[in-house]
Amino acid sequence: MSNATARPLRTRALTRESVRARRLLAADEWRLSPADAEAVRAVLTRLAAPLPTRRSTAARTRATDRDRRLQRILRTTVHHLDTGTVSPPATALLAAVARALLPWYTAPNPPRAAAAPQYGIVPGATERAAPPTEAGEALLPDLTALFTALAATSAPGAVPLTPSAEPWQVRHAGRFRHYTRPAPDVWAAETVCCPECGDRNGPWTVTCDWHRATLGCPCGTVMSEHGLAFSEIWLVLPET
């Protein structure tokens, strides 16, 4: 599938969180904590990274470099999303960025294990669509400006100020998988099941305050100690 015909990026959540972040910044209602600042600076470094200078100017090489830059932004975002140290509003923003860049999770370099996270497959499809490179790059200027403005709130002497984040609840009919990486290029995965009835397929009721997420089983059991990272929940949910 060509970039022109690829499915559009899922940017609804990103737009919502970007607007909210800018509103909070304009009102001086969000000044980053040290953990938030670390995550924002790491993502900003990836956003601002130039493409490598190469002797080869082949179109395929250039396209691969462009997609790798988007993939690095995504993976850095997911890493900090899953650390569990950032505040709820930062978690919501990082999750929205990851959601928008999800097509690049395995493109152009998929993880080298069958058990690695299978993010980015269009529901109902068996193959990944080619990532729409131009659409992904179109997000970078606004994201760079937003993350630059966020990073500026953590100047020396600034007192952190953390706003609230909107909680949400959604139903998910399907399995959740928890992934671990016990060694380089080695992945292990475990399907989450209800400790009471053993159900694995739901439909789960996912409730999240951006600090932690709980899973509600149809049998009435609510799990908070499920071991899932934010990305393992948020990135497999249907678009809302």
Side-chain angles (χ1 to χ4, degrees), residues 104-128:
W104 285 274
Y105 184 78
T106 61
N109 304 118
R112 300 178 185 174
Q118 299 296 302
Y119 301 141
I121 296 178
V122 176
T126 57
E127 296 182 0
R128 290 178 176 80

Side-chain angles (χ1 to χ4, degrees), residues 10-96:
R10 299 189 291 181
T11 57
R12 188 182 308 170
L14 176 58
T15 300
R16 182 171 62 247
E17 291 302 327
S18 294
V19 169
R20 182 172 184 271
R22 287 186 171 88
R23 176 177 58 79
L24 292 169
L25 287 172
D28 192 28
E29 295 177 357
W30 190 5
R31 296 190 294 273
L32 300 186
S33 67
D36 287 356
E38 179 183 351
V40 165
R41 284 194 295 266
V43 175
L44 180 58
T45 297
R46 292 298 193 190
L47 286 167
L51 292 173
T53 301
R54 299 187 186 279
R55 292 182 179 179
S56 172
T57 58
R60 179 173 294 182
T61 300
R62 197 66 173 170
T64 299
D65 285 341
R66 293 165 64 197
D67 283 339
R68 280 180 179 152
R69 176 169 60 185
L70 294 167
Q71 186 180 64
R72 290 185 184 113
I73 296 168
L74 168 62
R75 291 190 177 178
T76 298
T77 302
V78 169
H79 168 75
H80 287 278
L81 171 67
D82 286 344
T83 60
T85 61
V86 298
S87 67
T91 301
L93 179 59
L94 292 175

Side-chain angles (χ1 to χ4, degrees), residues 113-205:
Q118 299 296 302
Y119 301 141
I121 296 178
V122 176
T126 57
E127 296 182 0
R128 290 178 176 80
T133 306
E134 290 82 3
E137 290 178 331
L139 302 175
L140 301 188
D142 282 347
L143 283 176
T144 301
L146 174 59
F147 276 71
T148 299
L150 281 167
T153 69
S154 63
V159 177
L161 179 61
T162 303
S164 60
E166 291 292 328
W168 51 268
Q169 186 176 86
V170 68
R171 300 263 286 180
H172 176 57
R175 296 188 171 194
F176 285 109
R177 301 267 282 172
H178 174 55
Y179 297 90
T180 57
R181 197 171 186 178
D185 296 329
V186 176
W187 288 85
E190 181 181 1
T191 301
V192 174
C193 68
C194 175
E196 294 297 326
C197 70
D199 181 65
R200 298 171 184 266
N201 299 313
W204 303 101
T205 300

